[in-house]
Amino acid sequence: MHPAEALAQQLKPGCGWDQWLADEFRQPYMRQLTEFLAAEEQAGKVLYPPRSHCFNALNSTPLANVSVVILGQDPYHGPGQAHGLSFSVRPDVPLPPSLINIFKEIQQDLSIAPPDHGCLQPWAEQGVLLLNSVLTVEQRNAGAHQGKGWERFTDKVIEVINRERDNLVFLLWGSYAKKKGQHIDRNRHLVLEGPHPSPLSAYRGFFGCRHFSNANQWLERQGKASVNWALPSKAEMIRKYKK
C-alpha cells in the first residue's frame, strides 16, 4: 500500500470529507508528500501530531456540521501538544501564549472565564472546524513541513467548504490566514478578519475584536445553533479524551 493510501484511511468514512477529498490522495503532490513523511519517520524523526490525529479537524467536524472555520498555520512542535486541531493542545499540557490570548478575548467578549486547559475538542464537535494549513511538523522544528504539499490539500478543503456550504463564519487571524482565505465567497459567508492572537500582535486589534459574539449572532440570524465557547474543566476533558 502506498503511503498516500494509508494516510487516506485516517479519514473517517461517512464524515463527508472523504467523497470530496478522495481524489486528492491520488494526485502526484500527495504521493510525494506522503513519501516525504514516510522517509522522515524512517530516518528517526518524530512528527506531530501522531498519524492517528493528522485529520482530527476533519474527523471531529463532518462537512455537514461545519458552522465556523478557524484557520491556523502549523501544528505545535513541542512534545504532547499537537492533536490535529488549530490552536488547540491536549488537556494535560501548558497553554500556548496565543491560546491564552484567545481565552482572554472570549472572557472580555462573552464574560466566560478562561478554562484550566487548552483542549478545544468540544468546539470541534459543535461544528467549529479548527483547520491548520499544514497538518504535520517535525519535533522542535517549526515550519519544517511547509511547502511540502499540505497547503494544496487544505486549500482544497477550503474550496469544498466555500462551495458546498452556505452561511458559515470564517475567522481569519493574521496575514497568513487572511491570504489563505482570500478566495472565500463573502456573499455566501461571513468573514471576520483581525490580527493574530500571538503576544506580538494581539494588542493591535485582536483584543476587542468580538469575533466570538459576532460569530454567534450571525449563526443565530441564519437559524443555526450558536457555539458554546465555554469549555469543560481539565478533569472532565482528561476523563473524556483519554486517547
Side-chain angles (χ1 to χ4, degrees):
M1 179 183 296
H2 191 276
E5 297 169 349
L7 187 63
Q9 293 182 352
Q10 295 299 327
L11 267 182
K12 286 183 180 178
C15 66
W17 299 107
D18 44 350
Q19 70 177 96
W20 296 106
L21 299 175
D23 189 56
E24 295 301 298
F25 292 95
R26 294 187 283 270
Q27 299 299 316
Y29 85 89
M30 182 56 80
R31 299 180 77 83
Q32 292 167 7
L33 168 61
T34 52
E35 288 168 2
F36 163 76
L37 296 175
E40 292 288 277
E41 290 178 331
Q42 290 170 7
K45 295 181 179 180
V46 178
L47 307 185
Y48 297 131
R51 188 65 58 90
S52 61
H53 282 70
C54 187
F55 296 131
N56 191 22
L58 301 178
N59 289 334
S60 298
T61 314
L63 177 59
N65 294 356
V66 176
S67 60
V68 178
V69 181
I70 299 179
L71 294 182
Q73 187 168 351
D74 292 278
Y76 297 116
H77 55 87
Q81 291 182 302
H83 64 123
L85 304 178
S86 63
F87 293 101
S88 180
V89 292
R90 296 177 185 274
D92 54 349
V93 301
L95 274 69
S98 292
L99 188 53
I100 290 174
N101 286 339
I102 288 172
F103 290 152
K104 285 180 179 178
E105 173 57 24
I106 290 175
Q107 183 175 30
Q108 179 179 342
D109 187 12
L110 295 168
S111 299
I112 295 173
D116 57 354
H117 65 90
C119 183
L120 308 181
Q121 188 73 34
W123 292 2
E125 293 173 3
Q126 290 182 74
V128 180
L129 181 65
L130 296 161
L131 181 69
N132 276 320
S133 177
V134 178
L135 300 187
T136 57
V137 71
E138 180 186 339
Q139 178 177 278
R140 303 196 188 284
N141 189 4
H145 294 176
Q146 290 182 9
K148 301 297 183 180
W150 280 127
E151 293 92 341
R152 180 171 169 180
F153 180 82
T154 52
D155 279 346
K156 181 65 176 182
V157 172
I158 295 171
E159 176 191 321
V160 169
I161 301 169
N162 183 51
R163 184 185 66 240
E164 299 301 322
R165 298 299 311 281
D166 289 307
N167 302 319
L168 305 185
V169 182
F170 288 81
L171 305 185
L172 309 182
W173 301 327
S175 58
Y176 187 94
K178 292 174 187 176
K179 184 176 180 181
K180 183 81 172 171
Q182 63 185 337
H183 297 302
I184 297 167
D185 186 347
R186 266 70 171 175
N187 294 319
R188 298 180 67 175
H189 308 290
L190 176 65
V191 179
L192 300 175
E193 299 182 345
H196 195 276
S198 76
L200 295 175
S201 56
Y203 287 95
R204 298 175 189 163
F206 177 78
F207 290 137
C209 68
R210 303 197 65 196
H211 282 180
F212 302 95
S213 61
N214 287 337
N216 277 351
Q217 290 165 11
W218 166 269
L219 293 173
E220 290 168 1
R221 287 198 299 270
Q222 310 310 313
K224 298 184 178 185
S226 59
V227 177
N228 179 9
W229 298 105
L231 292 170
S233 69
K234 177 179 177 179
E236 291 178 74
M237 293 297 295
I238 292 176
R239 190 161 52 244
K240 185 173 181 180
Y241 302 106
K242 290 181 178 179
K243 58 185 179 178

